Amino acid sequence: MGEITSWLPSLLTGLGVTVELTVLSMIFGLVVGLVLATIRLEPRNKWLYIPATIYIEVIRGTPLILQLFFAYFALPAAGIRLDPFVAGVLALGINYSAYLSEVFRSSIKAVPHGQWEAASSLGMPWVLVMWRIILPQAGRIALPATGNYFIALFKDSALASTISVTELLFSGQILAAATFNYFGIYAVVAVFYLVVSYPSSLGLRALERRLELSRRKARPKRVTA
Amino acid sequence: MVFTVDKATDNSPLIQAKNVVKSYGDTPVLHDFSLDVSRGEVVVLIGPSGSGKTTFIRTLNGLETIDSGRITINGNVLADAQPLGSGKPHKPHKPNHRSLQKVRLDVGMVFQQFNLFPHLTAAENVMEAPVWVRKIPRQDARKRALELLDRMGLADRADHYPHELSGGQQQRVAISRSLAMDPVAILFDEVTSALDPELVGEVLRAMRQLAADGMTMIVVTHEMQFARQVADRVVMMAGGRLVEAGAPEQIFGSPSDPRTAKFLQSVVHPQ
Ligand SMILES: Nc1ncnc2c1ncn2[C@@H]1O[C@H](COP(=O)(O)OP(=O)(O)O)[C@@H](O)[C@H]1O
Ligand SMILES: [Mg+2]
């Protein structure tokens, strides 16, 4: 037991790095994914559509671990030397942006066309229609898949150990190499992953239920006019 | 009155569509279709399914582009395209951004499927464009929204979401939403067709009220009773052309074209 306690500080630090890595990569993936999805709504705009499509296909057609190696080991040859953590965020973010963009694109397309027509016939310009009318609805449609990707990203972030980011798995490896207690350490590492991912998926399901429109009830009337 | 009719004194038609031609691919949908609508006039468009009624009124707020012809609304040119072979290279006319925006602020539209924003309450649906497009302070916009909803008999439904409302209520919210932008005219495309029969009356009543208040309206409908009582002019369309137009008594009493007579027969005595 005392042994486990001695592992905790470095494993907890590692878990912190894993969470940071996940959250930053996810933000990157969400923003870039949304931009890509918007670009790919309009195939007639070739100058943006074609590069965006190539980006998505290249990223989805190659292994994530290769993308990590590229960001950390290959880019220095091009004069770009990144800190392991930054390279990790970049590679994971780019990878997830490609997948998330497809989720967003299909969710945006799933919003009935009549919503575009009603909003634009009220004089709302494109950006406003997108931001106020389409995205709030597409967001609800995209939420389950996006949430699953978020949890998958949390686990995939362990791949960053291969480029020496001292996240949770790599912290475990360092301890294991020093103590040879592989079973004990990796079991604790597994518990750490589970302690975050399982409640996250429960929370996500609760959020989905809350946002489900058909369950939403009328708010109590406000007195002010 | 919950809206003000702009009493501009010039006598030019508020809505002017001249020689409008439109095809979907190789299928012609509007052939040289012309229609003028004056301020305060209620025009009812009738005609068999597929005759181009929907397509026509959608061209009036830029939801559809036209191949040739000219559309002017409240002095703004929405579309002005040369016909084929007129010397200029032929290109489907795309209205420029600013005139499109202006026209859409002027012309409201109410749809068969309501198209309310499902993530917003009734009042928020009505406030949305005034707040974000006209930049009206939220409180003022809400006050106005509540007035409009009250006027439509929906005072107690203001904070309900669309899925909590009946079809007839949703459609009345949609009418309020359109009125909130103070349009000079409103287009109605079969707005009662998706409703259960017992809910049709409440929507027609609301439209009747609007007409009485002087709103300029173009109404596509199969409700002949409504057309007879409310229309200033009834326009019969078939195959993308204007068959005949006239006062309701004339169109319903003594149609001059056999297609009109046949169509009216089919509506009154559906098989
Ligand atoms: N988006 C579209 N693409 C191709 N054809 C269409 C489209 N919309 C309408 N049409 C065709 O145009 C014709 C007129 O349709 P519409 O304006 O909807 O008539 P109405 O409203 O009088 O029933 C019909 O033949 C219809 O099939
Ligand atoms: Mg129609």
Side-chain angles (χ1 to χ4, degrees):
Chain A
M1 204 59 218
E3 208 183 1
I4 293 189
T5 326
S6 72
W7 301 334
L8 285 185
S10 80
L11 290 184
L12 279 172
T13 310
L15 179 63
V17 174
T18 289
V19 170
E20 276 173 42
L21 189 60
T22 306
V23 169
L24 290 176
S25 307
M26 191 67 186
I27 292 172
F28 186 106
L30 287 170
V31 172
V32 177
L34 188 57
V35 171
L36 288 170
T38 312
I39 288 172
R40 294 203 354 122
L41 286 178
E42 192 48 90
R44 275 171 300 181
N45 197 344
K46 287 195 183 59
W47 292 109
L48 291 172
Y49 182 85
I50 293 174
T53 307
I54 292 173
Y55 172 101
I56 290 168
E57 293 308 330
V58 167
I59 297 301
R60 294 201 304 173
T62 54
L64 171 55
I65 194 164
L66 177 63
Q67 292 158 18
L68 281 160
F69 286 0
F70 217 89
Y72 187 62
F73 299 116
L75 282 186
I80 305 170
R81 204 168 295 279
L82 298 175
D83 170 81
F85 183 80
V86 174
V89 169
L90 192 70
L92 287 165
I94 286 178
N95 183 272
Y96 272 74
S97 73
Y99 290 95
L100 288 170
S101 80
E102 289 300 279
V103 172
F104 296 158
R105 188 167 72 118
S106 59
S107 307
I108 290 171
K109 285 187 145 177
V111 176
H113 196 61
Q115 294 288 309
W116 282 98
E117 296 190 337
S120 44
S121 74
L122 288 166
M124 296 175 80
W126 188 93
V127 176
L128 215 46
V129 178
M130 193 68 169
W131 188 246
R132 293 286 311 166
I133 306 301
I134 305 302
L135 287 182
Q137 297 180 57
R140 288 183 174 87
I141 300 169
L143 184 66
T146 306
N148 288 339
Y149 273 122
F150 183 69
I151 290 163
L153 173 59
F154 173 69
K155 293 175 289 171
D156 275 353
S157 70
L159 284 171
S161 62
T162 59
I163 58 167
S164 70
V165 179
T166 38
E167 40 67 75
L168 180 54
L169 178 62
F170 196 49
S171 305
Q173 282 174 316
I174 292 169
L175 279 177
T179 63
F180 301 105
N181 190 344
Y182 291 99
F183 190 91
I185 286 172
Y186 287 144
V188 175
V189 167
V191 169
F192 272 37
Y193 276 110
L194 209 58
V195 156
V196 175
S197 66
Y198 185 62
S200 299
S201 63
L202 289 184
L204 200 71
R205 250 170 275 161
L207 183 62
E208 279 164 34
R209 271 196 302 275
R210 257 197 56 181
L211 287 179
E212 215 173 284
L213 283 173
S214 56
R215 286 169 189 258
R216 211 185 245 211
K217 274 276 145 268
R219 300 171 191 174
K221 255 216 206 114
R222 272 169 284 183
V223 192
T224 56
Chain B
M1 277 255 223
V2 278
F3 61 89
T4 47
V5 178
D6 185 3
K7 294 261 176 7
T9 41
D10 72 304
N11 289 323
S12 62
L14 182 65
I15 297 175
Q16 201 167 18
K18 266 182 98 165
N19 310 111
V20 173
V21 174
K22 158 106 192 158
S23 310
Y24 287 112
D26 289 336
T27 319
V29 180
L30 296 172
H31 299 268
D32 205 23
F33 189 86
S34 300
L35 183 71
D36 288 355
V37 180
S38 329
R39 241 167 246 280
E41 197 180 11
V42 177
V43 172
V44 169
L45 271 180
I46 61 171
S49 174
S51 57
K53 306 179 297 294
T54 294
T55 306
F56 173 67
I57 67 169
R58 284 164 60 91
T59 65
L60 297 181
N61 71 350
L63 285 179
E64 300 284 354
T65 56
I66 62 174
D67 300 339
S68 75
R70 183 180 161 90
I71 296 174
T72 321
I73 290 174
N74 202 18
N76 297 307
V77 179
L78 171 62
D80 189 1
Q82 299 297 319
L84 264 175
S86 63
K88 287 194 187 171
H90 177 69
K91 235 169 103 190
H93 181 77
K94 250 202 149 162
N96 78 51
H97 200 70
R98 283 186 62 192
S99 62
L100 185 59
Q101 209 62 31
K102 256 189 186 161
V103 163
R104 283 177 170 168
L105 290 175
D106 273 349
V107 181
M109 179 133 188
V110 183
F111 302 84
Q112 184 175 343
Q113 299 299 339
F114 330 135
N115 296 345
L116 289 185
F117 308 133
H119 59 300
L120 302 177
T121 63
E124 288 166 346
N125 264 273
V126 178
M127 295 159 61
E128 185 69 7
V131 167
W132 288 88
V133 180
R134 294 231 195 265
K135 309 272 192 278
I136 292 174
R138 274 197 90 77
Q139 281 192 346
D140 301 355
R142 177 160 169 96
K143 189 158 170 274
R144 177 86 201 292
L146 294 181
E147 272 169 35
L148 287 165
L149 289 170
D150 184 30
R151 175 70 180 220
M152 290 283 149
L154 294 168
D156 57 337
R157 291 288 177 272
D159 295 310
H160 287 245
Y161 285 91
H163 74 267
E164 299 170 321
L165 303 175
S166 74
Q169 291 170 336
Q170 289 191 52
Q171 197 59 295
R172 286 181 285 147
V173 174
I175 295 173
S176 314
R177 179 174 69 174
S178 167
L179 282 171
M181 290 301 278
D182 296 312
V184 297
I186 304 185
L187 313 170
F188 295 84
D189 189 10
E190 297 205 31
V191 299
T192 57
S193 301
L195 296 176
D196 291 333
E198 75 273 19
L199 302 177
V200 169
E202 63 192 57
V203 173
L204 292 181
R205 229 171 357 258
M207 291 167 67
R208 222 175 276 247
Q209 188 59 55
L210 277 188
D213 288 346
M215 178 55 77
T216 309
M217 298 161 67
I218 301 183
V219 182
V220 175
T221 185
H222 292 295
E223 299 291 335
M224 293 305 152
Q225 191 66 18
F226 176 85
R228 208 183 274 269
Q229 294 171 353
V230 181
D232 295 306
R233 193 151 45 110
V234 175
V235 172
M236 165 76 191
M237 279 183 83
R241 292 172 212 273
L242 191 151
V243 172
E244 64 178 311
E249 310 82 66
Q250 187 252 306
I251 299 289
F252 294 113
S254 51
S256 58
D257 193 289
R259 282 173 294 179
T260 311
K262 190 163 167 252
F263 171 71
L264 290 174
Q265 189 72 23
S266 73
V267 177
V268 178
H269 303 291
Q271 247 79 95

